[in-house]
């Protein structure tokens, strides 16, 4: 015990009293750490990523090259519209439509902060103008319109702007005979817009019926997470309803359901594999295979 105390005293820069301490070759001259930190450089943020599923750490460059899929466990990281457009459109060439439509605080809604101020803050910090972006380009040479939600913008919530952009995208698809895909990534309706938000469920569903009448394909891609009014309306109205592996899809969250029914939920409940097994999805496609799979499907629809 005495030897341990003397050793700790040396580590702390204190003088020990034992013989062992006096003969010790390891002894601090001064207390504290004397190494200069003037040249120390902080590691820049955003260089590394840790997989939330398996804990694997890799560089962002490696993750991006792997299309934001974990190299170890194949967990699909959440990505935004810019990344999906880069994956899907040939040579990353596309036209973004209807960016001039912006949300307004018609109800003067206030929760933790004023809705109008919340919107201004988001617009000042990011180039995303609302919770969905509409891109028009070519996929393997096939004209294609893609509406992709951005979870970064108020949880990808469904508001009047999202509904209007999708409606106008459908008009473009009908006019030019182009297939449509909506990539769902949302927590549900935007409470700050109240009934204006809820109206979009019926509005978009009605517009999709026009797309059906025109015999133009509509594909719904469910990604993690797809909840609320999205999954209760146009998220499940596709000619093909597909999903990424492991995506959480449902109406209410599993925690809410468990507390309501007071029972444990089945393993994998509300994951895309569970929904495929129970007939809600047509197939699951890994992100690396998405472009090739869509090209095959669109060619079949075209013929």
């Amino acid at each position: 015990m005495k030897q341990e105390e003397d050793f700790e005293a040396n580590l702390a820069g204190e003088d020990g009293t034992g013989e062992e301490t006096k003969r010790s070759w390891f002894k601090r001259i001064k207390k504290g750490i004397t190494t200069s930190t003037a040249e120390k450089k902080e590691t820049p943020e955003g260089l590394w990523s840790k997989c939330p599923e398996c804990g694997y750490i890799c560089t962002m460059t490696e993750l991006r090259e792997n299309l934001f899929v974990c190299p170890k466990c194949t967990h699909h990281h959440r990505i935004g519209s810019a990344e999906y457009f880069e994956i899907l459109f040939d040579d990353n060439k596309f036209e973004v439509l209807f960016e001039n439509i912006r949300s307004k605080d018609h109800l003067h809604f206030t929760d933790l902060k004023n809705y109008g101020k919340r919107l201004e803050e988001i617009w000042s910090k990011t180039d995303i103008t609302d919770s969905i972006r509409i891109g028009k380009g070519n996929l393997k040479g096939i004209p294609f319109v893609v509406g992709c939600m951005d979870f970064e913008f108020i949880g990808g919530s469904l508001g009047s702007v999202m509904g209007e952009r999708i409606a106008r995208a459908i008009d473009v698809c009908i006019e030019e005979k182009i297939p449509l895909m909506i990539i769902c990534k949302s927590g549900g309706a935007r409470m700050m817009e109240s009934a204006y938000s809820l109206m979009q469920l019926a509005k978009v569903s009605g517009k999709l019926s026009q797309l059906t009448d025109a015999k133009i394909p509509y594909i719904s891609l469910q990604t993690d997470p797809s909840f609320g009014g999205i999954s209760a309306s146009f998220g499940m109205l596709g000619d093909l309803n597909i999903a990424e592996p492991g995506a959480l899809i449902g109406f209410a969250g599993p925690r809410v359901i468990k507390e309501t029914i007071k029972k444990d939920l089945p393993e994998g409940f509300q994951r895309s594999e569970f929904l495929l097994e129970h007939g809600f999805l047509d197939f699951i496609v890994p992100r690396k295979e998405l472009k090739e799979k869509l090209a095959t499907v669109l060619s079949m629809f075209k013929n």
Side-chain angles (χ1 to χ4, degrees):
M1 179 64 76
K2 184 65 176 175
Q3 288 180 353
E4 290 179 2
E5 291 175 356
D6 290 344
F7 183 72
E8 290 177 359
N10 282 341
L11 289 177
E14 300 172 355
D15 293 330
T17 56
E19 288 297 324
E20 186 68 26
T21 305
K22 294 178 181 179
R23 292 195 301 267
S24 176
W25 58 270
F26 179 82
K27 188 173 182 180
R28 288 187 184 274
I29 300 175
K30 297 180 181 180
K31 293 183 179 182
I33 298 174
T34 58
T35 306
S36 173
T37 58
E39 302 299 322
K40 181 180 178 183
K41 296 181 179 179
E42 296 292 338
T43 303
E45 293 184 4
L47 290 181
W48 298 87
S49 175
K50 182 177 180 180
C51 176
E53 191 69 25
C54 69
Y56 178 76
I57 298 175
C58 64
T59 63
M60 284 301 298
T61 302
E62 180 184 359
L63 190 63
R64 178 176 288 275
E65 289 174 350
N66 211 44
L67 302 186
F68 298 93
V69 177
C70 177
K72 185 177 181 181
C73 71
T74 69
H75 170 76
H76 284 54
H77 291 251
R78 293 178 183 176
I79 56 176
S81 56
E83 290 78 17
Y84 275 111
F85 289 164
E86 184 177 352
I87 291 170
L88 294 173
F89 290 122
D90 297 342
D91 303 319
N92 198 25
K93 294 180 180 178
F94 57 91
E95 178 187 1
V96 179
L97 307 177
F98 317 124
E99 286 291 286
N100 59 314
I101 309 174
R102 298 290 187 97
S103 296
K104 293 184 179 180
D105 185 14
H106 293 290
L107 303 177
H108 306 292
F109 188 94
T110 301
D111 47 8
L112 296 178
K113 64 176 67 174
N114 180 271
Y115 179 44
K117 291 182 179 179
R118 187 188 296 274
L119 291 171
E120 293 293 339
E121 287 180 8
I122 297 174
W123 289 331
S124 66
K125 294 177 182 177
T126 177
D127 59 352
I128 300 173
T129 57
D130 208 85
S131 50
I132 193 170
R133 283 208 304 168
I134 308 296
K136 178 186 173 187
N138 290 330
L139 185 149
K140 295 285 186 179
I142 302 172
F144 201 33
V145 173
V146 179
C148 183
M149 300 176 192
D150 283 289
F151 199 78
E152 179 183 353
F153 196 100
I154 316 183
S157 51
L158 170 63
S160 54
V161 169
M162 181 188 287
E164 183 62 19
R165 286 184 179 181
I166 294 175
R168 296 193 186 190
I170 291 172
D171 288 337
V172 170
C173 291
I174 293 174
E175 182 180 349
E176 302 183 22
K177 304 294 183 183
I178 299 175
L180 170 70
M181 181 169 78
I182 297 179
I183 302 175
C184 301
K185 188 187 298 286
S186 174
R190 189 175 302 176
M191 65 176 184
M192 300 87 162
E193 296 188 12
S194 188
Y196 288 104
S197 174
L198 297 177
M199 287 166 58
Q200 308 310 312
L201 280 69
K203 175 180 177 178
V204 174
S205 298
K207 293 296 292 186
L208 286 173
S209 67
Q210 295 180 8
L211 203 64
T212 302
D213 293 340
K215 297 184 179 180
I216 296 172
Y218 161 53
I219 300 171
S220 175
L221 172 61
Q222 312 281 324
T223 67
D224 184 57
S226 298
F227 274 92
I230 301 295
S231 63
S233 59
F234 58 86
M236 288 293 182
L237 292 179
D239 297 305
L240 283 177
N241 294 321
I242 64 178
E244 290 186 336
L248 197 59
I249 305 166
F251 181 70
R255 179 179 57 81
V256 175
I257 295 173
K258 183 177 179 179
E259 290 178 356
T260 302
I261 66 175
K262 307 299 181 184
K263 291 183 180 179
D264 291 332
L265 301 175
E267 186 177 353
F269 181 70
Q270 289 188 325
R271 293 291 176 182
S272 53
E273 292 78 7
F274 184 89
L275 270 67
L276 178 64
E277 183 180 345
H278 289 78
F280 281 87
L281 297 174
D282 293 294
F283 56 84
I284 295 172
V285 55
R287 195 173 291 161
K288 290 182 179 180
E289 303 173 13
L290 181 60
K291 187 171 183 177
E292 291 291 339
K293 190 78 170 179
L294 287 173
T296 300
V297 166
L298 292 175
S299 297
M300 293 173 67
F301 274 130
K302 187 176 182 180
N303 293 330

